[in-house]
Amino acid sequence: MNDLKLCIRAILFATDSPLTLGEIISYLPSSFRHDKSTLLKKEVIAVINQLQSDSTADSITLVKVASGFRYQIDEDYAKLLGKTMNAKTVRYSNALLETLSIIVYKQPVTRGEVEEIRGVTVSHGIFRVLLDRGWVKIVGHRDSLGKPALYCTTPVFLDYFNLENLSQLPPLQAQSSDATE
Amino acid sequence: MEKKPDGLYVPYNPLKLDIGHFNGPLDLLLYLIKKQNLDILDIPMTMVAKQYDLYISSMDILNYELAGDYLLMSALLADIKAKMLLPRYSGGTEGEDDPRVDLAARLMEYQRFKEAAETLDAIPRIERDIILPQVELQSKQAVLRHPDIVLQDVLDAWIRVLNRMELKKKYMISEDAVNLRDCITMAITKLKLRNKISYTELIDPRLGKIGLALTFYALLFLYQKNVIALLQDESLGQIDISLLIPNWSLEVTSQEYDEVRQ
């Protein structure tokens, strides 16, 4: 059991992208896999839970994001490191963040609809960046004039923003005083 | 400088204000409304339109695509302002045919997403707030380990291959290198040159088994047609062949030849 724990820890540290439960099991040495797979799955889940609770007191924590489990250095320590290691902070323009948030809450959405809400032409560059980063993808085309592309967010977006699913995002503020005076 | 409209918030240096400060005309409008604590549902159009125009005229807009968006809003504000001057139906509820309703709705919708963008920006994210630790593996290269094999396994494998090949054997019918017609023509040609020839001289070992058989068959055919005579001086002795019809050629009897072939 203890062995399995160390093994999973090593696997999670060795990979650079989040791992799903199935991926973790597939990376385990075959000596662990002689058991019934359902039994092993339960064991792995238990071990991950244990690792997660272990890491709460650590500067490196085990979290679950959209694409699976990963170890990460959380905000407080990352900030500390950012200061001493001169890490460059990536800032995104308000235009990009607004566009992204419209896609997040209104998906699937067309570029025209984003522009409608923002009241301004959304530059091609913003969508290019969002697509290049893999945060959004084109999931289809609306069956209307010009067949505009429909954009949705991806698991990569959730991973990047430390989220497991979209419901973890704060709900969009209700359209206040729309009917009331 | 011209007289500024009442209540206009004047930034430190209005001329320095560039378009980058606002995320579009809606953002600028919201800014004007918020700064003066105006009610979004009851915008004093004359004042706001004036302020808006002053702002965009002070902006150094070089991006024409964006400038268009700002000018469009300016036109919309003027339009609403004009509509406000027209008498409205007193019958319906007040908000019903207020020309500002659409604009207010758009402003509120935009405000929701502006706030959502701020919330999104506050979420800790990779690169800015989160570092992903990566442990270097001692050796990521896979070690190639060759399996142990005993000779018997190799032989067994070879036998399996042979067995499989047996199953996959293809039977091909290839055209014969020689045919009966060639053998007859050849025999006649040789006989025409020499008139009398021994059987061993007639056969050509290069034609192989089938060639030999066909040559023999050709002789039988010619003998049956009385084209040639077979002579043997003694028992088990040499067989000589002589041509009886010097001008015979295969074409004369091709019809019979075809019958024989069948």
Side-chain angles (χ1 to χ4, degrees):
Chain A
M1 187 66 178
N2 206 30
D3 238 344
L4 182 66
K5 190 172 158 184
L6 294 178
C7 230
I8 291 172
R9 206 170 128 86
I11 289 167
L12 285 168
F13 268 113
T15 49
D16 47 9
S17 51
L19 294 178
T20 62
L21 200 61
E23 282 169 329
I24 292 171
I25 290 172
S26 73
Y27 287 139
L28 283 173
S30 53
S31 57
F32 287 109
R33 267 181 279 161
H34 53 73
D35 312 321
K36 285 250 165 57
S37 61
T38 48
L39 191 79
L40 182 66
K41 202 169 169 183
K42 269 183 195 157
E43 251 180 90
V44 171
I45 292 171
V47 166
I48 287 171
N49 284 335
Q50 215 178 320
L51 284 169
Q52 254 176 324
S53 59
D54 287 357
S55 72
T56 48
D58 201 345
S59 56
I60 298 171
T61 49
L62 179 59
V63 294
K64 187 166 192 282
V65 288
S67 316
F69 298 94
R70 76 174 175 213
Y71 271 107
Q72 64 184 38
I73 297 169
D74 272 338
E75 258 187 291
D76 298 343
Y77 293 93
K79 235 173 238 162
L80 222 70
L81 289 175
K83 270 178 199 153
T84 51
M85 293 167 108
N86 267 335
K88 60 171 172 111
T89 38
V90 185
R91 251 196 67 84
Y92 290 102
S93 69
N94 287 330
L96 186 135
L97 288 166
E98 281 178 18
T99 303
L100 182 60
S101 64
I102 292 168
I103 298 173
V104 167
Y105 287 103
K106 287 248 161 170
Q107 58 186 311
V109 74
T110 67
R111 187 165 153 178
E113 287 157 356
V114 172
E115 291 178 343
E116 180 71 34
I117 292 171
R118 291 199 54 227
V120 70
T121 316
V122 177
S123 80
H124 187 65
I126 288 177
F127 275 92
R128 195 70 264 153
V129 169
L130 292 175
L131 286 168
D132 283 351
R133 298 239 43 177
W135 292 350
V136 304
K137 64 178 179 204
I138 294 169
V139 288
H141 296 267
R142 176 147 291 161
D143 197 15
S144 64
L145 199 66
K147 297 243 181 287
L150 286 165
Y151 295 89
C152 271
T153 57
T154 64
V156 178
F157 158 77
L158 293 171
D159 289 348
Y160 191 86
F161 282 87
N162 202 25
L163 299 165
E164 199 180 328
N165 50 52
L166 284 170
S167 62
Q168 285 183 324
L169 280 166
L172 192 62
Q173 220 187 15
Q175 212 139 15
S176 56
S177 61
D178 203 10
T180 58
E181 263 292 31
Chain B
M1 248 197 171
E2 64 181 286
K3 191 180 169 291
K4 291 186 189 74
D6 294 333
L8 172 61
Y9 167 79
V10 183
Y12 178 63
N13 182 355
L15 294 173
K16 256 192 144 178
L17 201 72
D18 73 308
I19 203 151
H21 282 74
F22 298 105
N23 304 311
L26 288 173
D27 197 26
L28 173 54
L29 267 184
L30 264 184
Y31 167 79
L32 292 173
I33 290 163
K34 284 231 174 109
K35 272 291 166 203
Q36 298 163 92
N37 279 321
L38 301 173
D39 183 0
I40 209 164
L41 291 169
D42 187 22
I43 305 166
M45 288 312 296
T46 316
M47 187 174 86
V48 171
K50 215 179 236 175
Q51 291 172 356
Y52 179 91
D53 286 346
L54 189 73
Y55 256 94
I56 63 166
S57 63
S58 71
M59 280 178 179
D60 190 15
I61 300 174
L62 283 174
N63 185 337
Y64 288 100
E65 207 176 314
L66 278 176
D69 291 325
Y70 281 92
L71 292 173
L72 181 67
M73 179 55 74
S74 176
L76 183 70
L77 292 176
D79 184 47
I80 294 170
K81 201 169 77 179
K83 278 185 182 150
M84 296 283 286
L85 294 172
L86 296 172
R88 275 182 278 161
Y89 277 115
S90 50
T93 47
E94 195 166 322
E96 200 75 349
D97 48 339
D98 190 330
R100 298 171 298 182
V101 164
D102 282 349
L103 180 66
R106 279 185 71 190
L107 281 169
M108 285 190 298
E109 179 80 344
Y110 173 69
Q111 193 176 8
R112 286 167 77 203
F113 285 102
K114 190 176 153 72
E115 280 161 15
E118 282 160 13
T119 316
L120 195 66
D121 196 31
I123 294 172
R125 57 177 191 242
I126 295 177
E127 287 177 314
R128 192 187 61 184
D129 312 303
I130 295 166
I131 297 173
L132 298 184
Q134 246 248 282
V135 178
E136 197 69 35
L137 288 187
Q138 274 291 305
S139 162
K140 260 189 177 169
Q141 286 166 288
V143 182
L144 188 64
R145 207 189 295 151
H146 296 289
D148 300 322
I149 311 174
V150 289
L151 184 62
Q152 191 55 48
D153 291 344
V154 180
L155 292 176
D156 288 350
W158 174 239
I159 286 163
R160 278 198 301 277
V161 170
L162 287 181
N163 289 340
R164 258 205 311 282
M165 273 170 66
E166 196 66 30
L167 293 173
K168 285 188 177 173
K169 208 179 207 172
K170 282 182 191 152
Y171 292 94
M172 298 257 291
I173 298 168
S174 56
E175 208 183 333
D176 293 336
V178 284
N179 56 36
L180 185 58
R181 178 179 285 264
D182 291 342
C183 289
I184 294 169
T185 315
M186 195 179 64
I188 292 294
T189 317
K190 278 186 180 172
L191 282 166
K192 273 180 183 167
L193 282 171
R194 301 260 303 274
N195 203 15
K196 193 176 171 187
I197 192 170
S198 73
Y199 179 64
T200 45
E201 277 175 301
L202 185 69
I203 56 177
D204 186 348
R206 282 173 304 177
L207 296 178
K209 251 186 219 168
I210 292 171
L212 296 181
L214 284 174
T215 310
F216 182 66
Y217 191 52
L219 286 178
L220 292 180
F221 173 76
L222 292 170
Y223 184 70
Q224 190 214 5
K225 292 286 160 215
N226 282 322
V227 180
I228 56 166
L230 298 173
L231 309 160
Q232 189 173 32
D233 292 341
E234 51 186 328
S235 177
L236 300 174
Q238 179 181 274
I239 298 171
D240 288 329
I241 303 147
S242 62
L243 193 62
L244 295 178
I245 309 166
N247 296 327
W248 189 86
S249 73
L250 190 59
E251 277 66 37
V252 179
T253 55
S254 62
Q255 203 187 337
E256 292 160 284
Y257 163 81
D258 287 338
E259 282 165 19
V260 170
R261 252 194 85 146
Q262 281 165 19

